[in-house]
Amino acid sequence: MLPKIAAKTYNMSAHVCSVGESAHEQNSSARHADLGDFRVGEKRAEAWHPDDNGKIKTMPDYAIESITTWDARFPLPDGAGMDALHTNSEYCFAVTLLGSRDGLCGTGIALTLGEGNRLVCEAIELLARPLANMEIEELMSDFGRMSRRLADDPSLRWLGPHKGVIHLALASITNACFDLWAKSRKLPLWKLLIDLTPEEVVRLLDLSYLEEILGEQDTLQLLRSKIADRTERMSVLRSGYPGYDTSVGWISYDDRKVRELTARAIDQGFRAFKLKVGSAENGRDLRRAAMLRECIGNSGTLMFDANQSWSLPVAIPICRSLAAYRPLWIEEPTHPDDIRAHVTLAEQIAPVKIAAGEHIPNRILFKNFMQAGGLHYVQADCTRLAGVSEFLTVSFLAKKFGLPVAPHVGDMGQLHQHLVLFNHVALGHQILFLEHIPHLRSHFVFPAHLKDGRYAPPQEPGASCDLRLVSGKNP
């Protein structure tokens, strides 16, 4: 089936936004380098560096001249994308396009699953209006303040606050801002973020409601404390960031298909795999868990994902049974709002670890989970949180609490491949895994490149979110 798309535009001028053309054609040679040939530390845009007298050169002005939303829907192959609760094989992006001069355009995405996508697009149209005619450098120089202004819109905040349709809209808008910013500086987002001063990073964040745990000075100190040994962590730009494959274990796949896909993923270099659980019969979950453990061997890393399907009384015994297959974590074992149940479960199934975050919508709830000890792996998602900005805030929180970040990838890994590099290099987060879901690969202008199961750092300017369907570049 072909993808479906609908669009609305809110114009501030006669400008036409051309996604994935001018900005990328100017850098057509900047493709993914081989893992052994990353252009680490290269000056991609001389205009962003001091001149011989130590003065910062003038930056070109890129104002937001048009705001366009796209309701993009992608039917998946039979069974792909299905879990215990979400059984429709369709991935959708609520897309924000921020058009500027010279055809430059920022693309932002937030993931939904079907009809709700149009609601997020309508919310984007309402929420994004304050960005009209703003210069991108001015906007990003204090983006944390703008993020809070948008999140606290006096009318739209009532629909959340800071969750649901309105927060998904803010995610898409925010991600478009970061994409436009990186493109305007002719840098991949990971490099732009890593090159910022600690003070510039902090101004990207909204730290409200976190002050008792994480204030501006705490955040600055975290960044400054990691500067001295940053060079040691830059090796990830040469080796790539390890991925894990979710696509082998969708809940509707039969045993034969799981085996075939796992064997193929192992041939591609993957060493970590996730299996969907939460079947109507616990015995099916246990059989599939044993099968996948056999397929990947004792050295492979295995995760289980229940997608919120269990109540606490159900979760305790089944998690104890699944522990026999030595999972790295059990993901979303119960309702994402039930912090107390997560805490109880963590105590009852120890030493098995809990991962959560796919449906934790904001930094305040993440703070509560961390304070309570309700999760061990932080699965922040910049298409569920308020975009890149709140993802970074949650990453700072996780560092404060000594917790690892393993993002859920509602973006299919396109944007998060930038953010995990910042987390490791700038914050000192450990290298863990970045989820890999390949089903929409052909729909991106610059799909994530993996070699030997590792994400190669992108070389194109921007956040890697441009879609072929939107740009007119058909797969």
Side-chain angles (χ1 to χ4, degrees):
M1 297 178 64
L2 294 175
K4 299 172 286 185
I5 194 162
K8 292 183 180 180
T9 305
Y10 173 46
N11 285 301
M12 279 68 71
S13 72
H15 171 83
V16 176
C17 176
S18 180
V19 181
E21 294 179 1
S22 297
H24 289 308
E25 286 174 357
Q26 292 168 11
N27 298 275
S28 58
S29 63
R31 301 285 177 164
H32 288 286
D34 290 335
L35 283 172
D37 189 35
F38 288 145
R39 296 188 287 279
V40 179
E42 177 185 359
K43 292 183 178 181
R44 297 298 302 278
E46 185 65 31
W48 312 114
H49 296 272
D51 60 20
D52 293 338
N53 297 318
K55 296 181 179 179
I56 300 296
K57 296 181 179 180
T58 302
M59 300 178 185
D61 293 331
Y62 288 95
I64 296 172
E65 298 175 357
S66 68
I67 302 172
T68 306
T69 63
W70 292 79
D71 179 352
R73 306 187 187 194
F74 306 94
L76 301 178
D78 287 345
M82 289 187 180
D83 61 54
L85 291 183
H86 308 99
T87 56
N88 53 322
S89 282
E90 184 177 50
Y91 281 168
C92 306
F93 287 139
V95 183
T96 301
L97 300 179
L98 302 178
S100 189
R101 65 180 180 85
D102 300 331
L104 204 66
C105 192
T107 303
I109 56 178
L111 178 72
T112 76
L113 302 177
E115 281 301 311
N117 208 52
R118 65 183 178 86
L119 301 177
V120 181
C121 289
E122 291 173 6
I124 291 169
E125 295 170 27
L126 297 172
L127 198 62
R129 289 175 178 173
L131 303 183
N133 298 314
M134 289 196 70
E135 303 285 350
I136 191 62
E137 286 294 334
E138 176 188 1
L139 172 62
M140 303 310 293
S141 69
D142 195 10
F143 188 80
R145 188 182 301 274
M146 175 56 75
S147 180
R148 184 170 187 182
R149 175 185 170 187
L150 296 178
D152 286 346
D153 180 283
S155 298
L156 300 175
R157 187 183 189 275
W158 191 262
L159 303 180
H162 308 160
K163 63 178 70 71
V165 167
I166 202 66
H167 215 54
L168 293 172
L170 182 54
S172 182
I173 294 166
T174 296
N175 294 338
C177 291
F178 276 83
D179 183 53
L180 179 59
W181 191 29
K183 288 173 180 172
S184 72
R185 291 195 174 194
K186 299 183 176 61
L187 292 170
L189 181 61
W190 63 264
K191 179 153 178 55
L192 185 157
L193 293 174
I194 288 172
D195 286 351
L196 295 175
T197 67
E199 291 77 13
E200 288 171 326
V201 173
V202 171
R203 288 196 292 271
L204 296 174
L205 313 177
D206 176 7
L207 300 173
S208 59
Y209 304 105
L210 305 179
E211 294 89 345
E212 78 281 15
I213 297 295
L214 186 72
E216 287 188 9
Q217 290 305 311
D218 302 299
T219 309
L220 287 170
Q221 179 57 36
L222 279 174
L223 284 167
R224 290 168 179 162
S225 69
K226 298 301 176 183
I227 291 175
D229 57 354
R230 174 182 283 206
T231 303
E232 300 172 12
R233 296 188 296 279
M234 296 289 278
S235 61
V236 71
L237 303 178
R238 293 182 293 275
S239 63
Y241 199 95
Y244 74 86
D245 197 334
T246 288
S247 66
V248 303
W250 298 118
I251 201 160
S252 63
Y253 286 174
D254 60 29
D255 293 3
R256 180 182 60 82
K257 187 159 189 174
V258 172
R259 288 182 181 275
E260 289 176 356
L261 293 175
T262 302
R264 186 185 308 169
I266 290 172
D267 288 343
Q268 294 170 346
F270 288 97
R271 298 294 179 265
F273 308 88
K274 188 157 73 179
L275 181 72
K276 296 292 183 176
V277 294
S279 303
E281 297 293 333
N282 289 346
R284 181 176 185 267
D285 288 340
L286 297 174
R287 187 193 76 248
R288 281 160 47 93
M291 175 190 64
L292 189 51
R293 171 51 74 191
E294 178 186 7
C295 289
I296 67 176
N298 290 329
S299 63
T301 300
L302 181 58
M303 303 89 151
F304 300 129
D305 185 359
N307 291 99
Q308 317 163 36
S309 61
W310 298 322
S311 64
L312 181 61
V314 173
I316 292 173
I318 186 61
C319 286
R320 285 174 173 166
S321 297
L322 288 169
Y325 306 105
R326 295 178 290 107
L328 179 65
W329 69 58
I330 297 179
E331 181 176 338
E332 285 201 308
T334 189
H335 196 287
D337 291 351
D338 196 341
I339 298 174
R340 184 64 239 173
H342 280 78
V343 173
T344 300
L345 189 61
E347 295 168 348
Q348 291 291 318
I349 68 173
V352 176
K353 306 298 185 185
I354 293 174
E358 176 179 353
H359 286 85
I360 299 178
N362 59 58
R363 64 196 180 280
I364 298 97
L365 286 175
F366 266 111
K367 177 185 71 171
N368 292 340
F369 265 93
M370 294 177 195
Q371 288 175 318
L375 79 174
H376 305 98
Y377 290 93
V378 177
Q379 294 185 302
D381 187 336
C382 70
T383 72
R384 168 70 62 179
L385 296 163
V388 172
S389 174
E390 195 168 32
F391 176 95
L392 296 177
T393 298
V394 171
S395 296
F396 277 98
L397 269 177
K399 190 65 179 175
K400 186 86 172 182
F401 281 91
L403 296 173
V405 176
H408 174 266
V409 295
D411 62 330
M412 309 298 116
Q414 292 292 129
L415 180 47
H416 287 100
Q417 63 180 326
H418 296 262
L419 303 182
V420 293
L421 296 177
F422 172 85
N423 273 3
H424 177 61
V425 174
L427 287 184
H429 271 293
Q430 71 181 85
I431 293 177
L432 196 58
F433 298 104
L434 180 59
E435 187 174 23
H436 175 59
I437 302 176
H439 303 309
L440 300 188
R441 177 178 174 77
S442 65
H443 297 292
F444 287 98
V445 174
F446 295 109
H449 176 66
L450 285 88
K451 183 176 180 180
D452 297 329
R454 291 174 172 266
Y455 281 84
Q459 298 298 308
E460 303 83 19
S464 307
C465 292
D466 289 340
L467 293 162
R468 291 180 179 274
L469 195 65
V470 174
S471 69
K473 298 186 176 184
N474 295 321

